[in-house]
Amino acid sequence: MEYIDRCFVVTGAAGFIGSELIRYLNTCGYKNIIAVDSLGNGDKFLNLCDLQINRYFEKEEFLSKIQEHALEAYNIAGIFHLGACSSTTEKDVHYLVENNYRYSQKIAQWAMRRNIRFIYASSAATYGDGEQGYNDQTQPDMLRPLNGYGFSKNLFDSWIYANNLQDQVVGVKFFNVYGAHEEHKGSMRSFINKLFYTVMNNISREHSLDYILTRLQKLAPETTSELGLDDNLYNQFVASAKDRLNHLKIEIFQSDVADIADGEQKRDFVYIKDIVQRLEAVMSEEYVFLRSKGLLNMGTGEARSFNELVQIVCRTLFLPCNIHYIEVPLALQGKYQYYTQAHMSKAEGMLDLMEGKHTKGYFKPIMLEEGIRDYIYTYLLPKYHANATMNTKGAIKQYVDLITPKSYLSK
């Protein structure tokens, strides 16, 4: 049987990373996929509608199938266990432990007894305030997470290591992931997604879009290249329009740390297209799995500030950048990470290992500017236009056509 014809399980299948992983697996030829999730009453099911899967189980149903030995006929080759409560503000720690720790234990034990490859989602939240650094070689019992979510994830990592199971599994520590199909996460979706909708909703009101279109249409004939990529014309536009568009305010958190300026809090932002490609490689390539076993950071290895991020998004949208700083909400004070940056030596070692072999760039990260451009031009703007009201649809279409580089139109 060809490897891609074998059966794989994806838990959290309707979630952000889970659904994008299945979408990528489908493009690679994988069709024999068991999807597991807890769909509830929301619209998360929409993430599954265009995917090719073999079976769907609710998470408790899947656990019952395991306990009843009812999955043997599927000949499961691997499990991507991505399902979890990922809310960093969830206060019910009992729920987090039951969902993220005990449920994971049961699936892991079942998989390892059957020699089924097991890849699971840990989190960069396990690193807490970073006092011990962000190295995936650090023992879990050395870490001090800042919230219940990070605690529950570190609890499972600690159980893996305490029972000497780390050579049989890969626990992936996702950093700040952004990309398509994250909208259902609500307040937990990426800051890039929130920022895009804030900016676009603002320019769609108060006749701002009409003004922007008039200015862009005057600029467009002046360039022999593409408007969206022309830095000189962007700078001209910002200089002439920033006063007229001063009401388009973007709010980000102040800093309450003495040696960190407002907006200079930093994160390792990693694009979803990076993540799914790496996950597939860890599952399918024996030498990659062997080098990855234990805990594996999935970031870019470069921390970028929120000030930089806002500037990149505004530049991509061809709009002025007008930042206002607000206080960190009381609920996040003392639990807010001011800096994260993945230590990537383990992943970088795999690049050396793959020299002379076929390579798909598994561990060469997509950097922030490139990732944001791809996300906005190929997903967010087309979706925003598709969902626009009849009153704004035509203007939004003109705006999208003017600023989107032609190289992104066919993606």
Short mmCIF file of all heavy atoms in Angstrom, two decimals, residues 267-287:
data_model
loop_
_atom_site.label_atom_id
_atom_site.label_comp_id
_atom_site.label_asym_id
_atom_site.label_seq_id
_atom_site.Cartn_x
_atom_site.Cartn_y
_atom_site.Cartn_z
N ARG A 267 6.68 38.75 19.30
CA ARG A 267 6.23 37.38 19.15
C ARG A 267 6.93 36.74 17.94
O ARG A 267 7.35 37.44 17.03
CB ARG A 267 4.72 37.31 18.90
CG ARG A 267 3.85 37.79 20.03
CD ARG A 267 3.73 36.74 21.12
NE ARG A 267 2.69 37.10 22.06
CZ ARG A 267 2.81 37.98 23.03
NH1 ARG A 267 3.96 38.61 23.18
NH2 ARG A 267 1.82 38.25 23.84
N ASP A 268 6.96 35.43 17.96
CA ASP A 268 7.42 34.67 16.79
C ASP A 268 6.17 34.28 16.01
O ASP A 268 5.47 33.33 16.35
CB ASP A 268 8.19 33.43 17.25
CG ASP A 268 8.93 32.74 16.11
OD1 ASP A 268 8.48 32.86 14.96
OD2 ASP A 268 9.94 32.07 16.39
N PHE A 269 5.86 35.07 14.98
CA PHE A 269 4.66 34.84 14.16
C PHE A 269 5.00 33.87 13.03
O PHE A 269 5.91 34.10 12.25
CB PHE A 269 4.16 36.16 13.56
CG PHE A 269 3.77 37.20 14.59
CD1 PHE A 269 4.64 38.23 14.91
CD2 PHE A 269 2.54 37.15 15.22
CE1 PHE A 269 4.29 39.19 15.84
CE2 PHE A 269 2.19 38.10 16.16
CZ PHE A 269 3.06 39.13 16.47
N VAL A 270 4.23 32.77 12.93
CA VAL A 270 4.53 31.73 11.95
C VAL A 270 3.29 31.47 11.10
O VAL A 270 2.17 31.36 11.62
CB VAL A 270 5.06 30.45 12.62
CG1 VAL A 270 4.09 29.91 13.66
CG2 VAL A 270 5.41 29.39 11.60
N TYR A 271 3.49 31.37 9.78
CA TYR A 271 2.39 31.23 8.83
C TYR A 271 1.90 29.79 8.79
O TYR A 271 2.69 28.85 8.81
CB TYR A 271 2.88 31.68 7.45
CG TYR A 271 1.81 31.93 6.43
CD1 TYR A 271 0.51 32.29 6.78
CD2 TYR A 271 2.10 31.84 5.07
CE1 TYR A 271 -0.46 32.55 5.83
CE2 TYR A 271 1.15 32.11 4.09
CZ TYR A 271 -0.13 32.45 4.48
OH TYR A 271 -1.09 32.70 3.52
N ILE A 272 0.58 29.63 8.67
CA ILE A 272 -0.03 28.30 8.67
C ILE A 272 0.50 27.43 7.53
O ILE A 272 0.64 26.20 7.69
CB ILE A 272 -1.58 28.41 8.59
CG1 ILE A 272 -2.25 27.04 8.75
CG2 ILE A 272 -2.01 29.08 7.29
CD1 ILE A 272 -2.03 26.38 10.08
N LYS A 273 0.84 28.01 6.40
CA LYS A 273 1.36 27.21 5.28
C LYS A 273 2.71 26.57 5.64
O LYS A 273 3.03 25.50 5.15
CB LYS A 273 1.48 28.07 4.02
CG LYS A 273 0.13 28.44 3.42
CD LYS A 273 0.27 29.18 2.10
CE LYS A 273 -1.09 29.51 1.50
NZ LYS A 273 -1.00 30.21 0.20
N ASP A 274 3.47 27.25 6.47
CA ASP A 274 4.69 26.68 7.03
C ASP A 274 4.38 25.47 7.90
O ASP A 274 4.99 24.41 7.78
CB ASP A 274 5.37 27.73 7.92
CG ASP A 274 6.73 28.15 7.42
OD1 ASP A 274 7.23 27.54 6.47
OD2 ASP A 274 7.30 29.08 7.99
N ILE A 275 3.42 25.67 8.79
CA ILE A 275 3.10 24.67 9.81
C ILE A 275 2.64 23.36 9.17
O ILE A 275 3.13 22.28 9.52
CB ILE A 275 2.01 25.20 10.76
CG1 ILE A 275 2.54 26.37 11.59
CG2 ILE A 275 1.47 24.09 11.66
CD1 ILE A 275 3.62 26.03 12.57
N VAL A 276 1.71 23.42 8.23
CA VAL A 276 1.14 22.18 7.70
C VAL A 276 2.16 21.41 6.87
O VAL A 276 2.16 20.18 6.85
CB VAL A 276 -0.15 22.45 6.88
CG1 VAL A 276 -1.22 23.04 7.79
CG2 VAL A 276 0.10 23.39 5.70
N GLN A 277 3.04 22.13 6.20
CA GLN A 277 4.08 21.47 5.41
C GLN A 277 5.04 20.71 6.33
O GLN A 277 5.43 19.58 6.06
CB GLN A 277 4.83 22.51 4.59
CG GLN A 277 5.81 21.92 3.58
CD GLN A 277 6.36 22.96 2.64
OE1 GLN A 277 5.63 23.80 2.12
NE2 GLN A 277 7.65 22.92 2.41
N ARG A 278 5.39 21.33 7.46
CA ARG A 278 6.29 20.69 8.41
C ARG A 278 5.62 19.48 9.08
O ARG A 278 6.27 18.44 9.28
CB ARG A 278 6.72 21.69 9.48
CG ARG A 278 7.51 22.87 8.94
CD ARG A 278 8.00 23.73 10.09
NE ARG A 278 8.24 25.10 9.68
CZ ARG A 278 8.67 26.05 10.50
NH1 ARG A 278 8.90 25.76 11.77
NH2 ARG A 278 8.86 27.28 10.08
N LEU A 279 4.34 19.61 9.42
CA LEU A 279 3.64 18.49 10.06
C LEU A 279 3.61 17.27 9.14
O LEU A 279 3.83 16.14 9.58
CB LEU A 279 2.22 18.90 10.44
CG LEU A 279 2.08 19.84 11.64
CD1 LEU A 279 0.63 20.32 11.77
CD2 LEU A 279 2.52 19.15 12.93
N GLU A 280 3.31 17.50 7.87
CA GLU A 280 3.28 16.38 6.92
C GLU A 280 4.65 15.74 6.80
O GLU A 280 4.77 14.51 6.73
CB GLU A 280 2.80 16.89 5.55
CG GLU A 280 2.48 15.77 4.55
CD GLU A 280 3.71 15.24 3.81
OE1 GLU A 280 4.70 16.00 3.67
OE2 GLU A 280 3.69 14.07 3.37
N ALA A 281 5.70 16.56 6.82
CA ALA A 281 7.06 16.02 6.69
C ALA A 281 7.43 15.15 7.90
O ALA A 281 8.03 14.08 7.75
CB ALA A 281 8.07 17.16 6.55
N VAL A 282 7.06 15.62 9.09
CA VAL A 282 7.36 14.85 10.31
C VAL A 282 6.64 13.51 10.29
O VAL A 282 7.19 12.48 10.71
CB VAL A 282 6.97 15.66 11.57
CG1 VAL A 282 7.13 14.81 12.83
CG2 VAL A 282 7.84 16.92 11.70
N MET A 283 5.43 13.48 9.76
CA MET A 283 4.66 12.23 9.72
C MET A 283 5.18 11.29 8.63
O MET A 283 5.30 10.08 8.84
CB MET A 283 3.19 12.53 9.47
CG MET A 283 2.29 11.30 9.41
SD MET A 283 2.22 10.37 10.98
CE MET A 283 1.05 11.38 11.91
N SER A 284 5.52 11.82 7.47
CA SER A 284 5.76 10.95 6.32
C SER A 284 7.23 10.57 6.10
O SER A 284 7.51 9.55 5.48
CB SER A 284 5.22 11.60 5.04
OG SER A 284 5.96 12.77 4.72
N GLU A 285 8.14 11.41 6.57
CA GLU A 285 9.57 11.17 6.33
C GLU A 285 10.22 10.57 7.57
O GLU A 285 10.32 11.22 8.61
CB GLU A 285 10.26 12.48 5.94
CG GLU A 285 9.68 13.17 4.72
CD GLU A 285 10.06 12.47 3.43
OE1 GLU A 285 10.84 11.48 3.48
OE2 GLU A 285 9.60 12.89 2.37
N GLU A 286 10.70 9.36 7.45
CA GLU A 286 11.25 8.65 8.61
C GLU A 286 12.40 9.42 9.26
O GLU A 286 12.45 9.56 10.48
CB GLU A 286 11.74 7.26 8.18
CG GLU A 286 12.29 6.40 9.32
CD GLU A 286 11.21 5.93 10.29
OE1 GLU A 286 10.01 5.96 9.92
OE2 GLU A 286 11.56 5.56 11.42
N TYR A 287 13.31 9.94 8.44
CA TYR A 287 14.48 10.62 9.01
C TYR A 287 14.07 11.93 9.68
O TYR A 287 14.69 12.37 10.65
CB TYR A 287 15.56 10.86 7.96
CG TYR A 287 15.14 11.67 6.75
CD1 TYR A 287 15.27 13.05 6.73
CD2 TYR A 287 14.63 11.03 5.62
CE1 TYR A 287 14.90 13.78 5.63
CE2 TYR A 287 14.26 11.76 4.51
CZ TYR A 287 14.39 13.14 4.51
OH TYR A 287 14.01 13.86 3.41
#
